[in-house]
Amino acid sequence: VGGFFVKTAALEFNTGDGELVGEAPASYSNNAALALPTASLQYYAFKGWSLNADGSGDLYTEIPVKYALTEDQIANGIVLYAVYERLSGTITYDFAGGEWYDAEGPASYLYGEVVEIPELYKEHFEFDGWTLNGEAFEGIVESTEGNLALVATWTQVETEISFVLNQDGATLPDAEDVFDTEDGIEDLSKAKYIPTAPGALFAGWYLDAELTEAVNEIPAGTTEAVTLYAKWEPTPSIGGDNWVPAN
């Protein structure tokens, strides 16, 4: 009855562009399992060792006990080739009401590559960029890692508006010189749009200096600057021709 014969083969580790992590054993003997070192390559995950230069076939992180060494392996040794897998991350997007303007952004990226995320479009808003975890995100660079949840940020576009008061001493202290383009101004009869002047009553806003085109609102989506002209009527004076004293 034949006995078990201990056989030994020299080991060589080919890490490609990577490098060994830990001590590399010089040989393997089939009377005991042998744990193999790992290898490291930036932007890649180490998967194991292959007996084939193209990384095909079984991958090994250890050589088991009683591994069937071939005569060629015993004579010439074993070359183990490191196999890596490129690391990647996923990308999700919160458009915050926008949409892709031209090209769509990728759903994933590979570690170590530089990727520019496209801009978005949203009517009546300016795209301010992407944020990641509440911080401004400038794009995917070589050092970017992990899964990315990007959120779009916006600034609402504003339209300029000016008021020609047409009356000495008239004031309009609360009206602003811009309005949100998307919303327009729904009601110009609100108090902040009513000017006051001594000796005169405000009689409405007009779109022309000749006071022929009355206006009560600025339509939503107005993008061109707006100029409004005030109309006035004299304040009735007490004791005038139409004044009747109380009994």
Side-chain angles (χ1 to χ4, degrees):
V1 179
F4 174 76
F5 295 96
V6 176
K7 299 178 180 180
T8 300
L11 298 178
E12 178 184 344
F13 294 89
N14 187 323
T15 60
D17 292 330
E19 57 185 22
L20 278 173
V21 178
E23 294 293 328
S27 62
Y28 162 76
S29 296
N30 64 353
N31 62 335
L34 177 65
L36 300 175
T38 61
S40 175
L41 178 61
Q42 189 177 22
Y43 310 130
Y44 288 80
F46 174 72
K47 305 300 293 183
W49 298 97
S50 172
L51 295 175
N52 303 305
D54 63 0
S56 61
D58 294 334
L59 297 180
Y60 297 90
T61 56
E62 72 167 19
I63 304 177
V65 65
K66 295 184 179 180
Y67 175 78
L69 292 170
T70 66
E71 293 301 321
D72 179 70
Q73 289 173 332
I74 295 171
N76 300 307
I78 301 173
V79 179
L80 295 167
Y81 299 90
V83 177
Y84 308 95
E85 182 177 63
R86 186 75 173 264
L87 293 169
S88 64
T90 62
I91 311 173
T92 58
Y93 303 93
D94 181 348
F95 297 154
E99 60 187 40
W100 292 119
Y101 179 72
D102 187 8
E104 294 188 3
S108 62
Y109 72 100
L110 298 175
Y111 282 26
E113 68 178 358
V114 177
V115 180
E116 183 177 350
I117 305 298
E119 295 187 354
L120 298 178
Y121 168 78
K122 184 178 181 182
E123 189 174 13
H124 307 312
F125 285 80
E126 291 183 357
F127 180 65
D128 290 334
W130 296 100
T131 61
L132 176 65
N133 299 323
E135 301 290 336
F137 181 77
E138 302 300 332
I140 296 172
V141 296
E142 291 183 358
S143 60
T144 302
E145 296 182 354
N147 297 327
L148 309 177
L150 303 182
V151 180
T153 57
W154 303 93
T155 295
Q156 192 166 32
V157 174
E158 295 179 324
T159 303
E160 293 183 356
I161 185 170
S162 57
F163 301 89
V164 180
L165 297 181
N166 288 328
Q167 183 72 19
D168 290 340
T171 60
L172 186 64
D174 297 327
E176 299 173 342
D177 58 3
V178 294
F179 60 89
D180 290 337
T181 304
E182 182 182 38
D183 301 329
I185 300 177
E186 184 177 355
D187 186 2
L188 284 168
S189 66
K190 289 184 177 180
K192 73 176 186 176
Y193 298 113
I194 305 301
T196 59
L201 293 176
F202 176 67
W205 291 110
Y206 288 75
L207 289 173
D208 60 316
E210 293 74 27
L211 306 180
T212 62
E213 189 176 351
V215 61
N216 296 313
E217 66 174 352
I218 306 299
T222 298
T223 57
E224 293 186 5
V226 176
T227 300
L228 298 181
Y229 300 84
K231 181 178 180 179
W232 300 89
E233 294 178 354
T235 302
S237 59
I238 297 176
D241 292 341
N242 297 322
W243 179 69
V244 177
N247 293 328

